[in-house]
Amino acid sequence: MEVPFINLERQYLAIKPAIDRAINDALQSFQFIRGAQVEQFELAFARKLGVAHCIGTGNGTDSLFLALRALGIGPGNEVITPAFSWISSSETITACGAHPVFADVDGRSYTLSLEDVEARVTPRTRAVIIVHLFGQAANATAARRFCESRNLFLIEDCAQAHLTAEGPKYAGTLGDFGCFSFYPTKNLGAYGDAGAVVTQDEALARKVRRLANHGAMEKDDHKTEGFNSRLDTLQAAILLAKLPHLAAWNDRRSSLAKRYIEQLRGIEEIALPTVTPGTTHSFHQFVIQAKNRNALKEWLHSQGIQTLIHFPQALHNLPAYRYLNHHPEDFPNASRLQSAVLSLPLYPELTDDQLDYVCDRIRAFYKR
Ligand SMILES: *Cc1c(COP(=O)(O)O)cnc(C)c1O
């Protein structure tokens, strides 16, 4: 049996008439930038999350960059961000002219350790970025309390957390900003690059909208310089057609995750994902920690099963951050995770049979 890591074609075929109609309507309008679908999607996504404002952007990385810039983060400022994440949550700090300060993550939940953040706060710290990594809710309520007590901004990286929730609150609604990506393989994915920023604050929303559109709210009204990072009409149309399915797709991810956990429980050599009590996990990725990880990955590959490693190097160990002169032991959990984690195939279109086969092959590996 072949089990690819992801299958975007199956999802497309399941909703083909709606997608084809959406693309065709957007094409026929010839309003490729700032077409009606952009605002329609912004309103629909904000309503879905229960947040006051949503601004479409070019991609998730730009969402983080625009949020930092709108908060006035710049040279001389430090921003604390997880040592175990995708590079967007640190490179955007540098892009603002500020200084990225890494903090360690919890070794089981993968979310930022507030104790370690506390140890790394200095008088120059202006903001904290939490990442709802793999779809796990990153304790936004506690992070918000922490940030409020120290007068710091809180940004939520929600690129992997569409409809992740803490109690009744969706990820992205508790920080000053929630930053989303609609990269094609995310839980809500466009057919190209796309992103959004959400916020409860009207003034901050206006700042992001201005910055993302050359500093102008309306044509030629350049109060400041800005950037060009807009959600385009075709992508907005595709996202509008997909949005009504997001909750059901997440439910399917969740039941597949349960099935994985039931079948893999009891294998001593692996640690299964946890779900923080009181939260809803979006299961963007199903990440195990495995003994002999590399050999397991190779074995699964030989059995027709594609897996990925998120991430093979923690951020502080990347050549890009060598200048910070960190040692692996500065972030013990992040450093350990890079050689333990393995992402198994998990997407709504994965069949039960495919999942059962993956579990069978993992069991076979540890029995050899
Ligand atoms: C995907 C991702 C991003 C960046 O999104 P792009 O749209 O690819 O720029 C940022 N942070 C995390 C955690 C991501 O997974």
Side-chain angles (χ1 to χ4, degrees):
M1 192 186 287
E2 292 293 314
V3 188
F5 189 73
I6 186 133
N7 186 334
L8 296 177
E9 190 182 1
R10 269 190 202 160
Q11 188 188 70
Y12 169 61
L13 293 176
I15 54 169
K16 186 175 184 312
I19 294 280
D20 290 355
R21 199 179 328 113
I23 291 176
N24 199 50
D25 289 353
L27 260 178
Q28 299 293 324
S29 79
F30 293 99
Q31 299 293 315
F32 296 116
I33 303 295
R34 304 184 85 175
Q37 290 87 341
V38 176
E39 192 184 353
Q40 284 167 24
F41 174 73
E42 289 174 342
L43 291 171
F45 196 58
R47 201 174 317 123
K48 176 83 66 183
L49 295 180
V51 68
H53 306 278
C54 170
I55 304 104
T57 67
N59 57 70
T61 307
D62 283 0
S63 297
L64 288 162
F65 173 74
L66 292 164
L68 287 161
R69 284 289 302 243
L71 292 170
I73 308 289
N77 299 155
E78 293 176 359
V79 179
I80 301 179
T81 191
F84 196 69
S85 177
W86 175 241
I87 193 167
S88 297
S89 52
S90 52
E91 69 184 348
T92 48
I93 300 168
T94 314
C96 289
H99 184 69
V101 174
F102 292 120
D104 209 358
V105 295
D106 180 85
R108 279 315 297 283
S109 70
Y110 306 106
T111 59
L112 190 62
S113 156
L114 283 182
E115 292 88 82
D116 201 46
V117 170
E118 171 116 66
R120 297 175 196 270
V121 171
T122 76
R124 291 175 300 282
T125 310
R126 289 281 310 283
V128 175
I129 299 179
I130 56 171
V131 180
H132 302 283
L133 197 65
F134 307 140
Q136 176 92 276
N139 304 314
T141 308
R144 191 191 165 123
R145 217 177 298 124
F146 177 92
C147 287
E148 275 174 356
S149 72
R150 287 157 186 82
N151 208 16
L152 304 174
F153 295 118
L154 176 64
I155 294 175
E156 297 179 63
D157 181 337
C158 304
Q160 306 193 358
H162 311 78
L163 303 188
T164 288
E166 221 174 285
K169 295 274 193 189
Y170 284 121
T173 64
L174 282 159
D176 293 288
F177 281 115
C179 300
F180 287 85
S181 165
F182 306 115
Y183 183 84
T185 60
K186 308 286 185 184
N187 288 31
L188 179 61
Y191 287 171
D193 279 314
V197 172
V198 302
T199 180
Q200 303 282 20
D201 186 300
E202 187 178 353
L204 287 178
R206 288 179 65 83
K207 272 192 188 155
V208 167
R209 202 172 278 290
R210 208 178 261 294
L211 278 173
N213 188 47
H214 306 288
M217 284 308 261
E218 285 141 41
K219 205 165 163 29
D220 302 324
D221 163 41
H222 305 278
K223 294 265 193 300
T224 63
E225 287 182 326
F227 306 91
N228 176 0
S229 183
R230 295 172 299 222
L231 175 63
D232 71 63
T233 310
L234 274 165
Q235 300 307 336
I238 290 159
L239 291 169
L240 261 177
K242 283 186 163 199
L243 186 59
H245 301 280
L246 175 60
W249 286 334
N250 275 8
D251 286 347
R252 172 69 183 157
R253 285 176 185 269
S254 177
S255 65
L256 287 166
K258 266 198 201 111
R259 193 180 178 96
Y260 262 132
I261 288 168
E262 277 159 19
Q263 297 202 23
L264 296 175
R265 190 178 290 156
I267 302 178
E268 263 170 38
E269 294 90 343
I270 63 180
L272 293 166
T274 61
V275 179
T276 303
T279 71
T280 308
H281 199 304
S282 76
F283 280 105
H284 175 60
Q285 301 293 357
F286 189 90
V287 177
I288 63 170
Q289 296 175 34
K291 197 170 165 190
N292 300 331
R293 191 266 319 266
N294 292 347
L296 173 62
K297 186 180 195 320
E298 265 171 47
W299 159 257
L300 291 174
H301 182 74
S302 76
Q303 304 297 300
I305 298 164
Q306 208 185 352
T307 60
L308 291 178
I309 296 169
H310 301 105
F311 304 91
Q313 278 190 290
L315 293 170
H316 62 286
N317 294 328
L318 288 173
Y321 293 108
R322 197 164 289 149
Y323 74 96
L324 294 174
N325 289 316
H326 280 305
H327 300 284
E329 57 275 21
D330 293 344
F331 309 96
N333 290 333
S335 294
R336 180 183 63 77
L337 288 171
Q338 68 180 31
S339 32
V341 290
L342 186 67
S343 304
L344 304 182
L346 177 71
Y347 40 98
E349 299 75 22
L350 186 76
T351 66
D352 290 356
D353 284 350
Q354 285 178 309
L355 184 149
D356 295 351
Y357 174 67
V358 175
C359 296
D360 178 72
R361 294 296 82 201
I362 292 174
R363 235 176 282 117
F365 173 76
Y366 287 113
K367 281 203 191 115
R368 287 184 312 164

